[in-house]
Amino acid sequence: MDQKILTSKQYFKLLLLVYGVMLVAQVGTGTVFFFLRSTQSKSMPNEVTLGQLFGYLVPCAAVILPLVGILLAKKTIKALRINDLLSDKLRKYQSALIFKYAFFEGATFFSLVAYFITGELLHFGVAGALVMVFLTQLPTRNRVFNEVPLSTLDESKLNNPDAEVAAIPVKD
């Protein structure tokens, strides 16, 4: 498998792209579900029994899933060592972020599906709150510098937008 070398500028753009796609997926799904639910309200009755069940499950999922994602990402990042190769650190950091974002996305989608099935606006509100919290997880340069153990040489490479910092596998 071939590899593509990323510069510092490209790496941070890639992190923002992944974040943006996951954000758009959450907001887009919420918009579609809201539109479908509001236009089809007569043909989609509110499910009272499921509403009671989701009344417990949605808040639990909204708290537990993002926390699990954050804790697992921190554990992965904590395992990084300052003397590891920069490319390896950045690849593992990227994987940890995607993993963390997936847990946020899972909780949001669960809340949106609960809203779609039951028609309970509270579930839609929980999904909105999760998106707001997800907005605080923006992958910035400062966040990488604070979370990843970097040597002085690593920091100087990341500060140089044209420095080659990571290699990612690409398929032909």
Side-chain angles (χ1 to χ4, degrees), residues 129-151:
L130 284 164
V131 169
M132 295 307 217
V133 174
F134 185 76
L135 287 172
T136 67
Q137 302 300 311
L138 182 71
T140 62
R141 183 178 300 273
N142 287 339
R143 183 166 282 186
V144 172
F145 279 71
N146 290 333
E147 293 179 351
V148 179
L150 299 169
S151 67

Side-chain angles (χ1 to χ4, degrees), residues 25-38 51 54-55 57-59 62 107-133:
Q26 292 174 69
V27 172
T29 303
T31 304
V32 168
F33 279 9
F34 183 78
F35 176 74
L36 288 174
R37 186 70 194 181
S38 62
F54 282 135
L57 293 177
V58 168
T108 303
F109 287 160
F110 183 71
S111 299
L112 289 172
V113 167
Y115 161 71
F116 188 70
I117 292 171
T118 65
E120 291 282 333
L121 281 174
L122 179 63
H123 303 321
F124 190 76
V126 169
L130 284 164
V131 169
M132 295 307 217
V133 174

Side-chain angles (χ1 to χ4, degrees), residues 75-116:
K75 182 179 177 185
T76 302
I77 294 168
K78 198 173 237 181
L80 298 175
R81 298 290 166 236
I82 198 162
N83 55 356
D84 291 344
L85 292 174
L86 178 59
S87 181
D88 290 342
K89 288 190 271 192
L90 294 180
R91 191 175 58 251
K92 288 176 183 173
Y93 181 73
Q94 178 184 352
S95 297
L97 280 185
I98 291 170
F99 200 66
K100 175 171 73 170
Y101 294 163
F103 275 87
F104 272 94
E105 203 167 34
T108 303
F109 287 160
F110 183 71
S111 299
L112 289 172
V113 167
Y115 161 71
F116 188 70

Side-chain angles (χ1 to χ4, degrees), residues 154-171:
D154 293 341
E155 288 181 14
S156 65
K157 281 184 177 181
L158 285 174
N159 281 324
N160 179 359
D162 298 321
E164 295 178 349
V165 295
I168 59 169
V170 292
K171 291 184 179 180

